[in-house]
Amino acid sequence: MSPQLSRRRALVAAAAAGLGLPAAAEAAAPARRNGRFENLRVATYNVSMNRSEEGQLLKDLATGEDAQIRAVAEVIQLNNPDILLLNEFDHDEAGRGIELFQSNYLQVAQNGKSPVHYAYSYTAPVNTGVPSGLDLDGSGSVGGPEDAWGFGEFPGQYGMVVLSRYPILTEQVRTFQNLRWADMPSNLLPTEFYGEQIAAQLRLSSKSHWDVPVQIGGSVLHVLAAHPTPPSFDGPEKRNQRRNSDEIRLWADYLSTGSRSRWIVDDAGTRGGLDPSEPFVVLGDYNADPADGDSWPSAIAQLLEHPRVRDTAPRSEGGAEAARLQAGANTGHRTDPRLDTADFTDDPGPGNLRVDYVLPATTLQVASSAVYWPVQGEPGSELTGSHPFPTSDHRLVRVDLQMRA
């Protein structure tokens, strides 16, 4: 989407409206220049702002009074990221949802929190809910969410949005919505389940993969955004486990040189991955825990152990507390519960997992990182309670970086 307001003008407008800026706190430090460097907070948040019917999210956004959306906005205001990826935000072609979310929720004080302003945003179509015209689930009939290119009741359900205080270089964005799974060398595609004809047409990304360049002073930061399919809800063929792993691998290959990235072709027909000199951050809900849950073996390790990627291991004490109090499947987990980012069903499972990631390039300076999950009784803990969740079953994950301006 085209920017409508510069960051400077947005802040001036906020001051003129008497809205003010966030108080000086570690969790709400705005971006600022520091000599030759720019300090910025980058975050990802699965906001669960998907609705069961097309157009319902727009109705909820128009009221300014939806309790869940207000709570989501409050979490964002408390953390005040400069660049933010939202997962599970239903897509609409006109971008009206983004406008309403900003004007009716983010730019309105929630429970006394300082409003936040994003002059730039980006969204694009995703595969969820888009009819494939094929019998993908082997049911003998065609139609419905299981036969869409990505599971969804309608086109755009579970979409994505990037919000930024810095200019988004929209004309340079690369998307990979139409990239075919079969084109990935040594893929995990279960061809025997789908059959040769259908397997050759399948799209790899269940939503989409985006490389969104953001101008940070004189530098460009590539925001690599995605939301791979959950590695569950399938049969013995493990088609969703396999797809999740290969969706993660797409970014691992994209960050690699030579033949590992040469197979990748974006929706505009440009071949290859990200130049080794370019700084980046991988963002999103990847639906894969390093050790627990149902994901394909070592799926997320493809990124966590990539030579260009730094895992800062964001954590919280609230995650550890929740795992202890909820018990169930959590008692057998191997991943440190302080790293958990999602509060899933504990009995029978999978329990709480680490599935949301902010993974910067090893060339970037990292100041701090965290998962926003307060312990019970702390301010903000009412926003991350148990089911029914006031916000989402996922937690916001953030990393503070320094980039050359």
Side-chain angles (χ1 to χ4, degrees), residues 75-143:
V75 169
I76 294 171
Q77 291 174 353
L78 282 164
N79 287 273
N80 191 29
D82 300 301
I83 299 172
L84 172 64
L85 171 65
L86 304 177
N87 287 131
E88 295 196 7
F89 188 110
D90 289 347
H91 175 74
D92 67 282
E93 286 295 330
R96 182 62 177 155
I98 300 174
E99 296 172 359
L100 291 171
F101 184 45
Q102 295 222 65
S103 62
N104 292 351
Y105 292 90
L106 293 181
Q107 296 173 9
V108 176
Q110 305 295 341
N111 288 321
K113 309 305 185 297
S114 295
V116 294
H117 302 260
Y118 294 100
Y120 307 93
S121 62
Y122 179 81
T123 190
V126 291
N127 284 324
T128 38
V130 177
S132 69
L134 305 169
D135 180 13
L136 300 185
D137 62 353
S139 65
S141 62
V142 174

Side-chain angles (χ1 to χ4, degrees), residues 239-259:
R239 63 189 188 276
N240 289 332
Q241 280 191 14
R242 293 166 179 267
R243 188 180 192 182
N244 172 271
S245 182
D246 278 350
E247 285 194 70
I248 294 170
R249 183 189 145 190
L250 172 54
W251 279 153
D253 286 2
Y254 190 70
L255 296 173
S256 302
T257 58
S259 60

Side-chain angles (χ1 to χ4, degrees), residues 99-376:
E99 296 172 359
L100 291 171
F101 184 45
Q102 295 222 65
S103 62
N104 292 351
Y105 292 90
L106 293 181
Q107 296 173 9
V108 176
Q110 305 295 341
N111 288 321
K113 309 305 185 297
S114 295
V116 294
H117 302 260
Y118 294 100
Y120 307 93
S121 62
Y122 179 81
T123 190
V126 291
N127 284 324
T128 38
V130 177
S132 69
L134 305 169
D135 180 13
L136 300 185
D137 62 353
S139 65
S141 62
V142 174
E146 294 279 2
D147 289 336
W149 288 125
F151 179 90
E153 298 287 347
F154 55 85
Q157 190 180 31
Y158 311 108
M160 305 192 296
V161 175
V162 175
L163 299 174
S164 176
R165 291 196 173 104
Y166 295 88
I168 294 174
L169 305 179
T170 307
E171 298 303 317
Q172 299 178 30
V173 171
R174 299 182 70 186
T175 65
F176 301 89
Q177 181 187 8
N178 299 317
L179 185 64
R180 292 182 301 183
W181 192 355
D183 290 340
M184 172 182 276
S186 303
N187 59 66
L188 297 175
L189 173 59
T191 301
E192 66 284 355
F193 174 81
Y194 291 108
E196 294 281 353
Q197 184 176 4
I198 289 179
Q201 302 177 64
L202 292 175
R203 297 179 182 180
L204 173 58
S205 184
S206 56
K207 285 82 177 177
S208 190
H209 284 62
W210 300 339
D211 176 349
V212 182
V214 179
Q215 189 78 49
I216 312 292
S219 301
V220 174
L221 178 68
H222 289 259
V223 174
L224 306 184
H227 183 191
T229 193
S232 49
F233 312 113
D234 51 18
E237 80 291 337
K238 303 298 183 184
R239 63 189 188 276
N240 289 332
Q241 280 191 14
R242 293 166 179 267
R243 188 180 192 182
N244 172 271
S245 182
D246 278 350
E247 285 194 70
I248 294 170
R249 183 189 145 190
L250 172 54
W251 279 153
D253 286 2
Y254 190 70
L255 296 173
S256 302
T257 58
S259 60
R260 279 199 61 183
S261 60
R262 194 172 298 125
W263 69 272
I264 301 172
V265 180
D266 65 28
D267 294 331
T270 302
R271 182 176 295 277
L274 185 65
D275 188 279
S277 66
E278 297 289 339
F280 65 87
V281 60
V282 177
L283 291 179
D285 170 7
Y286 284 77
N287 275 312
D289 183 282
D292 305 311
D294 299 325
S295 57
W296 194 260
S298 301
I300 196 61
Q302 297 174 105
L303 283 175
L304 297 182
E305 298 175 6
H306 194 284
R308 291 184 65 187
V309 172
R310 172 177 296 164
D311 180 14
T312 67
R315 62 194 63 205
S316 73
E317 293 306 317
E321 177 189 61
R324 183 176 68 255
L325 294 177
Q326 295 168 5
N330 297 297
T331 60
H333 281 184
R334 293 172 289 167
T335 297
D336 183 343
R338 294 178 298 171
L339 302 177
D340 287 344
T341 68
D343 189 351
F344 294 144
T345 304
D346 307 300
D347 188 9
N352 304 342
L353 300 173
R354 182 189 184 191
V355 295
D356 304 270
Y357 297 89
V358 180
L359 301 172
T362 55
T363 55
L364 293 173
Q365 297 295 318
V366 176
S368 64
S369 63
V371 177
Y372 185 72
W373 197 335
V375 298
Q376 291 185 5

